């Protein structure tokens, strides 16, 4: 641990640890979906992806650091031909794997294979309790695909897998239904916050929960918190009253970070921008050197300043909110969260940079607009289509009779 002797567990975490508690690792930007709120603007594979051998070398470093587990994502990580080789290598080297997937490749045989490994946890992404809500964000057929994947996992005897939901304006009223859906398959509901990261920046104004929905979400989490995971996503809601379960602070560069497909290390999964890039695992010393000595991380581990929130009596509850949410809406990092429950963020947005920062790279399959990401209203998720994958977002994951894939990455 770095810094002076802390007085509480939160203070210890805020000053940083010798190794991250958990690490998010995006193995690929390739994806067979084009979710409108994708935090990494995934779609096309980056040809500079870490090789199998390089990935295994990173696992060796994580094992030496005693990292307990990694959150593997993308893109769609199962698209990588070596995905299961990497999972097996990690778990055999004492690094557990929790991987997020859209479920399109979770067949019955795959589910049985996963059931044989006690150190693998599966997280299925779904953003609506109904197909109409989910598919508007994630693509035609994606709701049915996730339900089928859940059936395969449950059929293989896997219980406690995660159903991961990004809370939006469209599904905030479906929390009870989503919890019931998870219960139906013996899964655990996981709720996460919508951030204006990646393509999410293009739809954040339309999709982030209203103030009334935020209050209802807080009350729901207080009532159901023991049975629902949040990944500490909603600590900004603590200003309503009692803090929610969790650390209730931004763990970026302190207890969490991100490795992207090409080996770049960022402070958190929601800040894929050069301002938050700490280094690359291909450089001398690899990941341990970056985690322990990167200047960016050293700065994040200094005692937190209340900044513009110093006069607010709720700062100790919300800690100023999410760094990524502020950065990608053009707000200063020492200012209020854009969804500050006391309304200070909304007032600050009126004076924010009219052209907020964009992610450093966009891997979307279709480009448009000045930022590179498709700027498409949520209700217009079905533009003119001419290929099977445009008509059905999951076409590329289904076997074809012959010929090339209808959806090249």
């Amino acid at each position: 641990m770095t810094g002076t002797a802390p007085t509480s567990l939160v203070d210890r975490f805020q000053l940083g640890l010798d190794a991250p508690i958990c690490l998010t690792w995006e193995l690929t930007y390739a994806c067979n979906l084009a979710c409108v709120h994708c935090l990494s603007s995934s779609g096309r594979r980056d040809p500079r992806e870490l090789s199998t051998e390089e990935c295994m070398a990173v696992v060796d470093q994580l094992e030496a650091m005693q990292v307990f587990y990694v959150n593997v994502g993308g893109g769609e990580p199962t698209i990588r031909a070596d995905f299961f080789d990497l999972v097996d290598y990690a778990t055999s080297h004492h690094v557990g794997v929790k991987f997020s997937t859209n479920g399109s490749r979770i067949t019955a045989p795959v589910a049985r294979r996963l059931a044989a490994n006690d150190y693998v946890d599966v997280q299925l992404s779904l953003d609506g309790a109904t197909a109409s809500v989910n598919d508007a964000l994630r693509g035609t057929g994606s709701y049915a695909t996730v339900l089928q994947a859940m059936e395969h996992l449950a059929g293989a005897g896997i219980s406690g897998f995660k159903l991961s939901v990004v809370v939006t304006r469209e599904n905030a009223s479906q929390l009870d239904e989503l919890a019931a859906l998870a219960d139906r398959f013996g899964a655990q509901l996981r709720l996460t916050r919508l951030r204006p990261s990646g393509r999410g920046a293009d739809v954040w104004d339309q999709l982030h929960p209203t103030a009334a929905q935020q209050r209802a979400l807080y009350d729901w989490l207080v009532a159901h918190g023991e049975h629902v995971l949040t990944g500490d996503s909603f600590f900004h809601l603590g200003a309503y009253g009692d803090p929610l379960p969790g650390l209730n602070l931004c763990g970026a560069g302190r207890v969490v970070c991100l490795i992207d497909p090409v080996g770049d290390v960022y402070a958190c999964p929601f800040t894929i921008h050069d301002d938050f890039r700490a280094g690359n695992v291909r450089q001398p010393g690899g990941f341990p050197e970056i985690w322990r000595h990167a200047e960016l991380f050293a700065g994040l581990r200094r005692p937190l300043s209340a900044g513009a929130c110093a006069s607010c009596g709720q700062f100790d509850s919300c800690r100023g909110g999410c760094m990524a949410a502020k950065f990608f809406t053009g707000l200063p990092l020492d200012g209020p969260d854009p969804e500050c429950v006391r309304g200070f963020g909304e007032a600050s947005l009126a004076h924010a940079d009219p052209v907020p920062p964009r992610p450093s790279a966009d891997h979307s399959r279709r480009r448009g607009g000045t930022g590179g990401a498709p700027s498409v209203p949520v209700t217009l998720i079905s533009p003119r289509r001419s290929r099977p994958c445009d008509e059905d977002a999951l076409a590329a994951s289904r076997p074809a009779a012959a010929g090339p894939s209808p959806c090249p990455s």
Side-chain angles (χ1 to χ4, degrees):
M1 187 181 66
T2 59
T4 58
T7 58
S8 71
L9 185 62
V10 170
D11 288 337
R12 290 179 63 187
F13 287 162
Q14 184 172 306
L15 295 176
L17 303 178
D18 287 337
I21 291 177
C22 69
L23 171 77
T24 296
W25 189 353
E26 294 183 344
L27 289 179
T28 184
Y29 285 125
C31 191
N32 53 340
L33 295 188
C35 302
V36 299
H37 56 334
C38 178
L39 65 92
S40 55
S41 300
S42 291
R44 295 173 293 110
R45 175 183 174 273
D46 192 309
R48 301 171 298 158
E49 275 181 9
L50 297 176
S51 67
T52 303
E53 293 73 21
E54 287 175 317
C55 288
M56 289 178 174
V58 172
V59 170
D60 292 340
Q61 295 169 2
L62 300 181
E63 180 185 23
M65 295 175 74
Q66 297 184 312
V67 173
F68 182 63
Y69 75 94
V70 293
N71 288 312
V72 171
E76 173 52 44
T78 61
I79 285 178
R80 276 190 66 136
D82 59 358
F83 173 72
F84 281 106
D85 293 332
L86 293 176
V87 168
D88 291 343
Y89 188 83
T91 57
S92 67
H93 285 73
H94 311 101
V95 179
V97 174
K98 176 190 294 182
F99 73 93
S100 298
T101 174
N102 58 41
S104 60
R105 297 182 177 228
I106 304 297
T107 61
V110 166
R112 289 192 294 270
R113 178 173 183 174
L114 292 169
N117 193 329
D118 292 336
Y119 298 99
V120 177
D121 191 15
V122 186
Q123 185 166 281
L124 293 166
S125 297
L126 187 77
D127 290 322
T130 57
S132 58
V133 171
N134 176 83
D135 290 8
L137 302 183
R138 303 187 63 83
T140 304
S142 57
Y143 180 85
T145 296
V146 170
L147 260 62
Q148 184 177 60
M150 293 174 75
E151 290 174 354
H152 290 321
L153 292 172
I158 301 176
S159 62
F161 61 88
K162 310 302 184 288
L163 185 64
S164 182
V165 178
V166 178
V167 179
T168 68
R169 196 169 299 181
E170 302 301 316
N171 64 26
S173 63
Q174 297 184 323
L175 300 183
D176 287 333
E177 291 84 351
L178 288 162
L181 181 61
D183 289 343
R184 172 182 157 194
F185 291 96
Q188 185 173 20
L189 183 63
R190 182 177 188 268
L191 301 179
T192 60
R193 182 182 179 185
L194 175 70
R195 269 91 164 186
S197 307
R199 287 196 295 268
D202 297 316
V203 296
W204 189 80
D205 286 338
Q206 298 169 263
L207 286 181
H208 77 91
T210 64
Q213 287 175 326
Q214 286 202 86
R215 178 69 213 213
L217 171 62
Y218 172 79
D219 292 338
W220 194 90
L221 289 172
V222 169
H224 299 83
E226 293 184 3
H227 307 288
V228 178
L229 300 175
T230 64
D232 225 24
S233 288
F234 302 105
F235 63 90
H236 70 294
L237 299 182
Y240 278 128
D242 294 332
L244 296 169
L247 293 177
N248 287 294
L249 79 144
C250 173
R254 302 178 178 97
V255 296
V256 301
C257 69
L258 167 78
I259 300 176
D260 82 349
V262 302
D264 285 336
V265 179
Y266 294 91
C268 94
F270 307 104
T271 56
I272 303 178
H273 187 278
D274 287 344
D275 284 9
F276 299 98
R277 179 183 175 277
N280 189 284
V281 299
R282 286 171 167 142
Q283 69 192 46
F287 178 76
E289 175 69 19
I290 296 168
W291 178 259
R292 292 167 178 162
H293 302 294
E295 182 178 347
L296 171 67
F297 288 169
L300 290 171
R301 293 165 188 167
R302 297 188 184 105
L304 185 65
S305 169
C309 298
S311 61
C312 178
Q314 298 299 321
F315 176 76
D316 287 341
S317 298
C318 75
R319 301 279 175 151
C322 173
M323 178 176 71
K326 288 186 273 193
F327 182 75
F328 285 117
T329 53
L331 296 179
L333 298 185
D334 64 351
D337 188 289
E339 293 182 292
C340 168
V341 302
R342 303 194 66 189
F344 297 131
E346 184 177 357
S348 296
L349 285 172
H351 305 287
D353 187 338
V355 185
R358 297 287 307 188
S360 296
D362 183 6
H363 305 273
S364 304
R365 286 193 296 269
R366 290 190 293 273
R367 294 170 174 262
T370 56
S375 181
V376 181
V378 175
T379 54
L380 299 180
I381 197 67
S382 303
R384 181 182 65 83
R385 296 167 168 139
S386 59
R387 304 181 302 169
C389 62
D390 292 333
E391 192 62 40
D392 181 346
L394 298 173
S397 66
R398 300 192 176 102
S405 167
C407 303
S409 61

